[in-house]
Amino acid sequence: MKNKWLIGLLTIVIAILLTACGGEESTGNDDTAADGEKKPLVIGFSQVTLESPFYTSLVEGAKAEAEAQGIELIVVDAQNNIEKQNTDVQSLITKKIDILLINPVNPSAVAPALKAAEAAGIPVITVDRATKEEVVSYIGRDNEEMGRIAGEKALELLGGPSATGKIIELQGDAGGTVMKARHDGFHEIVGKAAGIKIIEGPYNDYIRAKAVSSMQDLLQAHPDVNLVYAHNDDMALGAIQVLGQQGKLDHVQVVGIDGLMEAVKKIEDGSFQATVINDPISLGQLAIQTAIKVGNGEDVEKVMNAATGLIDESNVADYVDDSKNFAEVK
């Protein structure tokens, strides 16, 4: 009787184990579709704003690459609001994204979103702007070097290290890492010329309309300005608009950053002196390519700085292209 009882118990245990194994096999892995094929990656992209041409072009580059690679891309617009960005990321997490791309509104205040992604096991890649928190990779450009390039051109336009004059600086976003880098790089170079004074304007969030308003006030307070340096071309174009209205385009030179095609064409006609190339399309493409590598378990570089360069009257003919919104690095 004892042997029969043991055999019966063993039979029940084996049956339970077989059932459990069969259940696990039929359920499959979260990364596997019902037909056994691996599910395509789902990438979430929290963009700082879609009001700026640079950021809309960056998203367009990312969308085109995602479509070419057969990847699902979900884009959300933080509208320059850090609370909205943190909420947007929570929403992306509930949509079961595999990778999070984020262009942070604020490098520190975005921490709740990054911690939520970490808790959900979602790798994070920052695009264009870095964060204080550690992430898998940062994809952007050396904005401090871009500021230096702009500074070198500004010095050249004003007569070199011994030049004198006044520069109005139209700044990006308060507390932003890109703003600080473009500010510091420019000041590092221009600060070598003791005869040049820099007037630091208010923060305009890289938006032309805000720059127009700021420039009107700054020009009234500093009618003797010799050059305008803007942290992006959209703000620089706002400055050009005001300078034109005040009849000062022939007396004030303008330097920007991004390589916006509208700015490139202004360089061609002589009303804009120079821009530093940022090329958002290639940045968006690189972001998707890097996210795919991360999703496939491949190692990626911690910091990926893309190339840049200067466009001025000497080479503008090589960059003018009516079919593009931004100049590409060559």
Side-chain angles (χ1 to χ4, degrees):
M1 289 293 294
K2 186 176 181 181
N3 287 340
K4 289 182 179 180
W5 182 83
L6 287 172
I7 291 170
L9 180 60
L10 185 59
T11 302
I12 292 171
V13 171
I14 292 171
I16 291 172
L17 288 173
L18 287 172
T19 302
C21 291
E24 184 177 339
E25 185 177 349
S26 63
T27 301
N29 189 286
D30 286 341
D31 292 334
T32 306
D35 58 3
E37 291 292 323
K38 188 174 181 180
K39 289 182 180 179
L41 282 177
V42 179
I43 300 172
F45 190 176
S46 174
Q47 180 60 285
V48 59
T49 179
L50 291 178
E51 192 172 351
S52 164
F54 178 83
Y55 293 129
T56 55
S57 291
L58 197 160
V59 168
E60 287 169 7
K63 285 181 175 179
E65 185 66 19
E67 184 176 353
Q69 299 286 350
I71 299 300
E72 182 180 353
L73 178 65
I74 305 172
V75 178
V76 289
D77 177 10
Q79 299 173 4
N80 265 321
N81 184 313
I82 188 60
E83 288 80 11
K84 184 177 186 305
Q85 185 161 54
N86 284 323
T87 301
D88 284 348
V89 171
Q90 292 284 359
S91 176
L92 287 171
I93 291 171
T94 63
K95 293 178 180 177
K96 306 295 185 183
I97 62 171
D98 299 297
I99 311 289
L100 173 65
L101 299 176
I102 186 166
N103 189 350
V105 173
N106 182 287
S108 301
V110 76
L114 302 185
K115 292 186 185 303
E118 181 183 8
I122 299 170
V124 178
I125 298 169
T126 52
V127 183
D128 185 55
R129 302 179 181 186
T131 63
K132 300 293 186 182
E133 304 287 328
E134 185 174 350
V135 296
V136 173
S137 183
Y138 161 69
I139 300 170
R141 286 184 169 82
D142 186 338
N143 285 284
E144 196 161 320
E145 177 61 17
M146 295 173 83
R148 292 189 196 101
I149 294 171
E152 288 166 358
K153 185 62 182 180
L155 266 189
E156 176 192 317
L157 290 167
L158 294 176
S162 60
T164 59
K166 184 180 287 188
I167 296 174
I168 287 177
E169 180 179 10
L170 296 177
Q171 303 189 87
D173 57 327
T177 54
V178 170
M179 177 284 301
K180 188 177 187 308
R182 293 182 181 181
H183 168 281
D184 292 353
F186 185 82
H187 282 246
E188 177 187 327
I189 301 299
V190 177
K192 296 174 182 177
I196 293 179
K197 182 179 182 181
I198 302 176
I199 308 301
E200 297 181 23
Y203 302 108
N204 296 291
D205 297 320
Y206 304 100
I207 295 171
R208 188 181 310 195
K210 292 185 178 181
V212 167
S213 178
S214 293
M215 191 63 195
Q216 288 168 340
D217 294 336
L218 288 163
L219 196 57
Q220 186 172 0
H222 305 280
D224 56 342
V225 63
N226 303 104
L227 184 142
V228 175
Y229 164 55
H231 288 186
N232 79 336
D233 285 343
D234 208 37
M235 293 191 297
L237 288 164
I240 286 175
Q241 176 183 327
V242 176
L243 290 168
Q245 291 167 350
Q246 299 294 325
K248 290 182 175 290
L249 267 182
D250 293 335
H251 312 292
V252 181
Q253 305 187 84
V254 181
V255 176
I257 293 179
D258 276 350
L260 183 63
M261 193 54 63
E262 185 180 352
V264 174
K265 291 178 181 178
K266 292 286 186 184
I267 294 173
E268 187 180 38
D269 71 25
S271 57
F272 197 128
Q273 278 59 56
T275 181
V276 184
I277 306 172
N278 205 358
D279 193 0
I281 295 292
S282 67
L283 208 60
Q285 293 170 338
L286 182 58
I288 295 299
Q289 292 163 2
T290 304
I292 292 172
K293 289 180 179 179
V294 171
N296 290 335
E298 300 177 39
D299 291 331
V300 296
E301 294 179 37
K302 204 72 176 171
V303 176
M304 301 176 70
N305 281 321
T308 184
L310 182 75
I311 302 175
D312 60 13
E313 62 179 357
S314 69
N315 62 355
V316 66
D318 297 332
Y319 291 94
V320 175
D321 188 337
D322 289 331
S323 68
K324 296 176 181 176
N325 292 325
F326 283 83
E328 297 176 0
V329 178
K330 294 183 179 181

